Amino acid sequence: MDAVASPTTFRLTPRPYQYEAVAALLAAAARGVQRPLLVLPTGTGKTIIFALLVQRRGGRALILAHRDELIQQAVDKLRLVDPTLPLGVVQADRDEHTASPVVASMQTLSRHARLTRLTPDYHTIVIDEAHHAPAATYRRILDYCRAGRAEGPLVVGVTATPERGDRQSLRPIFDGIVYQKTLVEMMQAGYLVDLRAIQVLLQADLDALTTAQGDFVEADLETVLVAANAPAQVLAAFQAHAAARKTLLFTPTVALAYAMAATFRTAGIAAEALDGTTPLATRRAILQRLAPGRPRSSPTVPC
């Protein structure tokens, strides 16, 4: 596969598979694929890939993200690729919608008053964390921007998890995967560290739990884990195996996340909990408190 020429303003050397991914996306567009999907594991630089793609294709571009951290990450990587890009942000009180590329908060842009301010003449639209794309908010933006029409933009989805937990298909949004590398492939190639698992045993009986669509019912699972004193058990495992590291915990319910954080704080370990309803200002304050150079912390994030 042909490599993509590295722009002279680029401040780092892209990895071979990042060049391959851009070339695959360009080749798919040349074949008439209007809605390609890129699948790569977390940590392999998907943002660099779509930043390179946007620069290579030229024209107006829109990048959609659903989290504050992802918006800033996209801005940073686009500036790495080309510091001269007159990029703008559409988020909260920022409304730089005439710039190109535009990095936009999906929640902000999907509002009618904000969306109708856009001129829908984009050459490229990128959806970060594309497994969220079937949501009505994304569809509203794509419909407004004429996605799927013959004269419409190239809509590129990037994700590490193309299979949704609710089994909802991405096929109504994307034509298919045009480039993919698995977690194992990236580890074998040396781009990701190998996994090491440690099993922590609890005195909990999960056999009696009911399931819905193949997963445990969250409320029932929470009851069993609390009864098994899971927060204390996780704390002990952390102290035994990861005490010198910052740690990210995923829990099945919001309440359990906050219980975990409280247990860690009781042991003198700085810990924070957040969930999908945590306000943006609070999320930013939490990340600032856990930034490098601050005391060792263990943030707790519910699934």
Side-chain angles (χ1 to χ4, degrees), residues 246 265 270-274 278 281-299:
K246 286 194 174 184
R265 286 194 296 269
E272 304 275 359
L274 56 84
T278 304
T282 304
R283 291 175 63 89
R284 288 177 173 173
I286 288 172
L287 290 173
Q288 182 62 32
R289 289 195 291 271
L290 300 178
R294 297 298 182 94
R296 176 175 52 80
S297 309
S298 181

PDB file of all heavy atoms in Angstrom, residues 246 265 270-274 278 281-299:
ATOM      1  N   LYS A 246      -0.585   5.352  39.285  1.00  0.00           N
ATOM      2  CA  LYS A 246      -1.938   5.878  39.156  1.00  0.00           C
ATOM      3  C   LYS A 246      -2.804   4.789  38.527  1.00  0.00           C
ATOM      4  O   LYS A 246      -2.350   4.037  37.664  1.00  0.00           O
ATOM      5  CB  LYS A 246      -1.945   7.138  38.288  1.00  0.00           C
ATOM      6  CG  LYS A 246      -1.370   8.344  39.009  1.00  0.00           C
ATOM      7  CD  LYS A 246      -1.700   9.621  38.258  1.00  0.00           C
ATOM      8  CE  LYS A 246      -1.252  10.830  39.068  1.00  0.00           C
ATOM      9  NZ  LYS A 246      -1.638  12.109  38.408  1.00  0.00           N
ATOM     10  N   ARG A 265      -9.994   6.814  49.684  1.00  0.00           N
ATOM     11  CA  ARG A 265      -9.670   8.018  50.447  1.00  0.00           C
ATOM     12  C   ARG A 265      -9.533   7.708  51.938  1.00  0.00           C
ATOM     13  O   ARG A 265      -8.689   8.290  52.631  1.00  0.00           O
ATOM     14  CB  ARG A 265     -10.742   9.095  50.212  1.00  0.00           C
ATOM     15  CG  ARG A 265     -10.661   9.749  48.836  1.00  0.00           C
ATOM     16  CD  ARG A 265     -11.490  11.015  48.787  1.00  0.00           C
ATOM     17  NE  ARG A 265     -12.914  10.734  48.962  1.00  0.00           N
ATOM     18  CZ  ARG A 265     -13.766  10.494  47.979  1.00  0.00           C
ATOM     19  NH1 ARG A 265     -13.327  10.491  46.715  1.00  0.00           N
ATOM     20  NH2 ARG A 265     -15.033  10.257  48.224  1.00  0.00           N
ATOM     21  N   ALA A 270      -5.434   9.516  47.554  1.00  0.00           N
ATOM     22  CA  ALA A 270      -6.252  10.486  46.824  1.00  0.00           C
ATOM     23  C   ALA A 270      -7.026   9.771  45.729  1.00  0.00           C
ATOM     24  O   ALA A 270      -6.445   9.068  44.903  1.00  0.00           O
ATOM     25  CB  ALA A 270      -5.372  11.571  46.225  1.00  0.00           C
ATOM     26  N   ALA A 271      -8.338   9.929  45.721  1.00  0.00           N
ATOM     27  CA  ALA A 271      -9.181   9.231  44.746  1.00  0.00           C
ATOM     28  C   ALA A 271     -10.358  10.099  44.371  1.00  0.00           C
ATOM     29  O   ALA A 271     -10.868  10.876  45.176  1.00  0.00           O
ATOM     30  CB  ALA A 271      -9.671   7.900  45.316  1.00  0.00           C
ATOM     31  N   GLU A 272     -10.793   9.973  43.144  1.00  0.00           N
ATOM     32  CA  GLU A 272     -11.926  10.741  42.631  1.00  0.00           C
ATOM     33  C   GLU A 272     -12.876   9.780  41.924  1.00  0.00           C
ATOM     34  O   GLU A 272     -12.448   8.753  41.380  1.00  0.00           O
ATOM     35  CB  GLU A 272     -11.465  11.801  41.631  1.00  0.00           C
ATOM     36  CG  GLU A 272     -10.422  12.763  42.159  1.00  0.00           C
ATOM     37  CD  GLU A 272     -11.022  13.925  42.915  1.00  0.00           C
ATOM     38  OE1 GLU A 272     -12.276  13.995  43.027  1.00  0.00           O
ATOM     39  OE2 GLU A 272     -10.259  14.781  43.392  1.00  0.00           O
ATOM     40  N   ALA A 273     -14.142  10.117  41.894  1.00  0.00           N
ATOM     41  CA  ALA A 273     -15.126   9.351  41.138  1.00  0.00           C
ATOM     42  C   ALA A 273     -15.849  10.292  40.194  1.00  0.00           C
ATOM     43  O   ALA A 273     -16.114  11.451  40.530  1.00  0.00           O
ATOM     44  CB  ALA A 273     -16.122   8.669  42.073  1.00  0.00           C
ATOM     45  N   LEU A 274     -16.172   9.806  39.019  1.00  0.00           N
ATOM     46  CA  LEU A 274     -16.985  10.584  38.085  1.00  0.00           C
ATOM     47  C   LEU A 274     -17.845   9.630  37.281  1.00  0.00           C
ATOM     48  O   LEU A 274     -17.589   8.432  37.204  1.00  0.00           O
ATOM     49  CB  LEU A 274     -16.124  11.477  37.196  1.00  0.00           C
ATOM     50  CG  LEU A 274     -15.015  10.849  36.350  1.00  0.00           C
ATOM     51  CD1 LEU A 274     -15.567  10.301  35.042  1.00  0.00           C
ATOM     52  CD2 LEU A 274     -13.939  11.875  36.049  1.00  0.00           C
ATOM     53  N   THR A 278     -21.433  13.841  35.396  1.00  0.00           N
ATOM     54  CA  THR A 278     -20.526  14.791  36.039  1.00  0.00           C
ATOM     55  C   THR A 278     -20.380  16.033  35.168  1.00  0.00           C
ATOM     56  O   THR A 278     -20.015  15.918  33.990  1.00  0.00           O
ATOM     57  CB  THR A 278     -19.142  14.164  36.266  1.00  0.00           C
ATOM     58  OG1 THR A 278     -19.284  12.970  37.038  1.00  0.00           O
ATOM     59  CG2 THR A 278     -18.226  15.128  36.999  1.00  0.00           C
ATOM     60  N   ALA A 281     -17.208  21.278  34.179  1.00  0.00           N
ATOM     61  CA  ALA A 281     -16.283  21.997  35.056  1.00  0.00           C
ATOM     62  C   ALA A 281     -15.729  21.081  36.142  1.00  0.00           C
ATOM     63  O   ALA A 281     -14.549  21.160  36.500  1.00  0.00           O
ATOM     64  CB  ALA A 281     -16.981  23.198  35.679  1.00  0.00           C
ATOM     65  N   THR A 282     -16.574  20.187  36.649  1.00  0.00           N
ATOM     66  CA  THR A 282     -16.128  19.242  37.675  1.00  0.00           C
ATOM     67  C   THR A 282     -15.147  18.240  37.099  1.00  0.00           C
ATOM     68  O   THR A 282     -14.137  17.897  37.726  1.00  0.00           O
ATOM     69  CB  THR A 282     -17.331  18.513  38.284  1.00  0.00           C
ATOM     70  OG1 THR A 282     -18.258  19.474  38.791  1.00  0.00           O
ATOM     71  CG2 THR A 282     -16.901  17.591  39.416  1.00  0.00           C
ATOM     72  N   ARG A 283     -15.420  17.744  35.886  1.00  0.00           N
ATOM     73  CA  ARG A 283     -14.500  16.812  35.222  1.00  0.00           C
ATOM     74  C   ARG A 283     -13.129  17.454  35.047  1.00  0.00           C
ATOM     75  O   ARG A 283     -12.093  16.835  35.298  1.00  0.00           O
ATOM     76  CB  ARG A 283     -15.047  16.400  33.853  1.00  0.00           C
ATOM     77  CG  ARG A 283     -16.287  15.520  33.909  1.00  0.00           C
ATOM     78  CD  ARG A 283     -16.831  15.277  32.506  1.00  0.00           C
ATOM     79  NE  ARG A 283     -15.876  14.561  31.696  1.00  0.00           N
ATOM     80  CZ  ARG A 283     -15.795  13.225  31.622  1.00  0.00           C
ATOM     81  NH1 ARG A 283     -16.628  12.485  32.330  1.00  0.00           N
ATOM     82  NH2 ARG A 283     -14.913  12.654  30.854  1.00  0.00           N
ATOM     83  N   ARG A 284     -13.118  18.707  34.600  1.00  0.00           N
ATOM     84  CA  ARG A 284     -11.840  19.393  34.390  1.00  0.00           C
ATOM     85  C   ARG A 284     -11.089  19.562  35.707  1.00  0.00           C
ATOM     86  O   ARG A 284      -9.869  19.402  35.765  1.00  0.00           O
ATOM     87  CB  ARG A 284     -12.094  20.751  33.739  1.00  0.00           C
ATOM     88  CG  ARG A 284     -12.511  20.659  32.269  1.00  0.00           C
ATOM     89  CD  ARG A 284     -12.832  22.022  31.693  1.00  0.00           C
ATOM     90  NE  ARG A 284     -13.071  21.953  30.261  1.00  0.00           N
ATOM     91  CZ  ARG A 284     -13.503  22.975  29.536  1.00  0.00           C
ATOM     92  NH1 ARG A 284     -13.743  24.148  30.117  1.00  0.00           N
ATOM     93  NH2 ARG A 284     -13.691  22.843  28.237  1.00  0.00           N
ATOM     94  N   ALA A 285     -11.826  19.894  36.760  1.00  0.00           N
ATOM     95  CA  ALA A 285     -11.184  20.065  38.071  1.00  0.00           C
ATOM     96  C   ALA A 285     -10.609  18.744  38.564  1.00  0.00           C
ATOM     97  O   ALA A 285      -9.505  18.700  39.127  1.00  0.00           O
ATOM     98  CB  ALA A 285     -12.191  20.618  39.072  1.00  0.00           C
ATOM     99  N   ILE A 286     -11.327  17.642  38.343  1.00  0.00           N
ATOM    100  CA  ILE A 286     -10.833  16.323  38.747  1.00  0.00           C
ATOM    101  C   ILE A 286      -9.547  15.980  37.993  1.00  0.00           C
ATOM    102  O   ILE A 286      -8.555  15.546  38.580  1.00  0.00           O
ATOM    103  CB  ILE A 286     -11.908  15.241  38.501  1.00  0.00           C
ATOM    104  CG1 ILE A 286     -13.042  15.377  39.511  1.00  0.00           C
ATOM    105  CG2 ILE A 286     -11.294  13.835  38.569  1.00  0.00           C
ATOM    106  CD1 ILE A 286     -14.219  14.478  39.232  1.00  0.00           C
ATOM    107  N   LEU A 287      -9.555  16.190  36.671  1.00  0.00           N
ATOM    108  CA  LEU A 287      -8.368  15.879  35.879  1.00  0.00           C
ATOM    109  C   LEU A 287      -7.185  16.740  36.291  1.00  0.00           C
ATOM    110  O   LEU A 287      -6.042  16.289  36.299  1.00  0.00           O
ATOM    111  CB  LEU A 287      -8.679  16.073  34.389  1.00  0.00           C
ATOM    112  CG  LEU A 287      -9.637  15.044  33.779  1.00  0.00           C
ATOM    113  CD1 LEU A 287     -10.000  15.433  32.361  1.00  0.00           C
ATOM    114  CD2 LEU A 287      -9.030  13.652  33.815  1.00  0.00           C
ATOM    115  N   GLN A 288      -7.461  17.987  36.644  1.00  0.00           N
ATOM    116  CA  GLN A 288      -6.388  18.861  37.103  1.00  0.00           C
ATOM    117  C   GLN A 288      -5.795  18.365  38.415  1.00  0.00           C
ATOM    118  O   GLN A 288      -4.576  18.372  38.609  1.00  0.00           O
ATOM    119  CB  GLN A 288      -6.918  20.289  37.275  1.00  0.00           C
ATOM    120  CG  GLN A 288      -5.874  21.308  37.700  1.00  0.00           C
ATOM    121  CD  GLN A 288      -4.756  21.463  36.683  1.00  0.00           C
ATOM    122  OE1 GLN A 288      -4.975  21.321  35.480  1.00  0.00           O
ATOM    123  NE2 GLN A 288      -3.548  21.715  37.150  1.00  0.00           N
ATOM    124  N   ARG A 289      -6.658  17.917  39.321  1.00  0.00           N
ATOM    125  CA  ARG A 289      -6.157  17.408  40.596  1.00  0.00           C
ATOM    126  C   ARG A 289      -5.340  16.136  40.417  1.00  0.00           C
ATOM    127  O   ARG A 289      -4.461  15.829  41.224  1.00  0.00           O
ATOM    128  CB  ARG A 289      -7.328  17.148  41.552  1.00  0.00           C
ATOM    129  CG  ARG A 289      -8.006  18.410  42.069  1.00  0.00           C
ATOM    130  CD  ARG A 289      -8.884  18.108  43.262  1.00  0.00           C
ATOM    131  NE  ARG A 289     -10.049  17.322  42.918  1.00  0.00           N
ATOM    132  CZ  ARG A 289     -11.221  17.824  42.529  1.00  0.00           C
ATOM    133  NH1 ARG A 289     -11.363  19.135  42.405  1.00  0.00           N
ATOM    134  NH2 ARG A 289     -12.238  17.032  42.252  1.00  0.00           N
ATOM    135  N   LEU A 290      -5.646  15.375  39.359  1.00  0.00           N
ATOM    136  CA  LEU A 290      -4.937  14.117  39.121  1.00  0.00           C
ATOM    137  C   LEU A 290      -3.803  14.263  38.114  1.00  0.00           C
ATOM    138  O   LEU A 290      -3.228  13.266  37.675  1.00  0.00           O
ATOM    139  CB  LEU A 290      -5.919  13.054  38.609  1.00  0.00           C
ATOM    140  CG  LEU A 290      -7.076  12.713  39.552  1.00  0.00           C
ATOM    141  CD1 LEU A 290      -8.001  11.697  38.916  1.00  0.00           C
ATOM    142  CD2 LEU A 290      -6.561  12.198  40.877  1.00  0.00           C
ATOM    143  N   ALA A 291      -3.483  15.492  37.739  1.00  0.00           N
ATOM    144  CA  ALA A 291      -2.454  15.741  36.724  1.00  0.00           C
ATOM    145  C   ALA A 291      -1.083  15.311  37.234  1.00  0.00           C
ATOM    146  O   ALA A 291      -0.853  15.228  38.443  1.00  0.00           O
ATOM    147  CB  ALA A 291      -2.439  17.215  36.352  1.00  0.00           C
ATOM    148  N   PRO A 292      -0.147  15.026  36.306  1.00  0.00           N
ATOM    149  CA  PRO A 292       1.220  14.660  36.717  1.00  0.00           C
ATOM    150  C   PRO A 292       1.819  15.716  37.643  1.00  0.00           C
ATOM    151  O   PRO A 292       1.618  16.916  37.447  1.00  0.00           O
ATOM    152  CB  PRO A 292       1.972  14.597  35.387  1.00  0.00           C
ATOM    153  CG  PRO A 292       0.922  14.274  34.381  1.00  0.00           C
ATOM    154  CD  PRO A 292      -0.315  14.999  34.850  1.00  0.00           C
ATOM    155  N   GLY A 293       2.526  15.240  38.640  1.00  0.00           N
ATOM    156  CA  GLY A 293       3.129  16.148  39.599  1.00  0.00           C
ATOM    157  C   GLY A 293       2.312  16.305  40.859  1.00  0.00           C
ATOM    158  O   GLY A 293       2.812  16.753  41.890  1.00  0.00           O
ATOM    159  N   ARG A 294       1.023  15.907  40.772  1.00  0.00           N
ATOM    160  CA  ARG A 294       0.194  15.930  41.968  1.00  0.00           C
ATOM    161  C   ARG A 294       0.409  14.639  42.756  1.00  0.00           C
ATOM    162  O   ARG A 294       0.973  13.671  42.254  1.00  0.00           O
ATOM    163  CB  ARG A 294      -1.289  16.068  41.566  1.00  0.00           C
ATOM    164  CG  ARG A 294      -1.606  17.370  40.849  1.00  0.00           C
ATOM    165  CD  ARG A 294      -1.338  18.567  41.736  1.00  0.00           C
ATOM    166  NE  ARG A 294      -1.669  19.822  41.088  1.00  0.00           N
ATOM    167  CZ  ARG A 294      -2.845  20.437  41.211  1.00  0.00           C
ATOM    168  NH1 ARG A 294      -3.802  19.899  41.938  1.00  0.00           N
ATOM    169  NH2 ARG A 294      -3.058  21.591  40.609  1.00  0.00           N
ATOM    170  N   PRO A 295      -0.071  14.574  43.997  1.00  0.00           N
ATOM    171  CA  PRO A 295       0.085  13.341  44.782  1.00  0.00           C
ATOM    172  C   PRO A 295      -0.532  12.152  44.070  1.00  0.00           C
ATOM    173  O   PRO A 295      -1.505  12.291  43.320  1.00  0.00           O
ATOM    174  CB  PRO A 295      -0.662  13.671  46.081  1.00  0.00           C
ATOM    175  CG  PRO A 295      -0.623  15.157  46.173  1.00  0.00           C
ATOM    176  CD  PRO A 295      -0.705  15.657  44.759  1.00  0.00           C
ATOM    177  N   ARG A 296       0.044  10.974  44.301  1.00  0.00           N
ATOM    178  CA  ARG A 296      -0.471   9.756  43.678  1.00  0.00           C
ATOM    179  C   ARG A 296      -1.962   9.599  43.928  1.00  0.00           C
ATOM    180  O   ARG A 296      -2.444   9.735  45.044  1.00  0.00           O
ATOM    181  CB  ARG A 296       0.284   8.531  44.244  1.00  0.00           C
ATOM    182  CG  ARG A 296      -0.241   7.206  43.721  1.00  0.00           C
ATOM    183  CD  ARG A 296       0.625   6.076  44.215  1.00  0.00           C
ATOM    184  NE  ARG A 296       0.824   6.082  45.646  1.00  0.00           N
ATOM    185  CZ  ARG A 296      -0.101   5.611  46.505  1.00  0.00           C
ATOM    186  NH1 ARG A 296      -1.245   5.169  46.061  1.00  0.00           N
ATOM    187  NH2 ARG A 296       0.157   5.640  47.796  1.00  0.00           N
ATOM    188  N   SER A 297      -2.695   9.300  42.874  1.00  0.00           N
ATOM    189  CA  SER A 297      -4.140   9.260  42.964  1.00  0.00           C
ATOM    190  C   SER A 297      -4.676   8.025  42.280  1.00  0.00           C
ATOM    191  O   SER A 297      -4.019   7.411  41.472  1.00  0.00           O
ATOM    192  CB  SER A 297      -4.754  10.503  42.305  1.00  0.00           C
ATOM    193  OG  SER A 297      -4.163  11.681  42.795  1.00  0.00           O
ATOM    194  N   SER A 298      -5.904   7.684  42.603  1.00  0.00           N
ATOM    195  CA  SER A 298      -6.558   6.555  41.964  1.00  0.00           C
ATOM    196  C   SER A 298      -7.960   6.957  41.558  1.00  0.00           C
ATOM    197  O   SER A 298      -8.901   6.854  42.339  1.00  0.00           O
ATOM    198  CB  SER A 298      -6.622   5.363  42.914  1.00  0.00           C
ATOM    199  OG  SER A 298      -7.244   4.271  42.279  1.00  0.00           O
ATOM    200  N   PRO A 299      -8.138   7.477  40.331  1.00  0.00           N
ATOM    201  CA  PRO A 299      -9.454   7.877  39.903  1.00  0.00           C
ATOM    202  C   PRO A 299     -10.358   6.678  39.689  1.00  0.00           C
ATOM    203  O   PRO A 299      -9.912   5.619  39.271  1.00  0.00           O
ATOM    204  CB  PRO A 299      -9.203   8.595  38.577  1.00  0.00           C
ATOM    205  CG  PRO A 299      -7.940   7.996  38.068  1.00  0.00           C
ATOM    206  CD  PRO A 299      -7.134   7.659  39.283  1.00  0.00           C
TER     207      PRO A 299
END
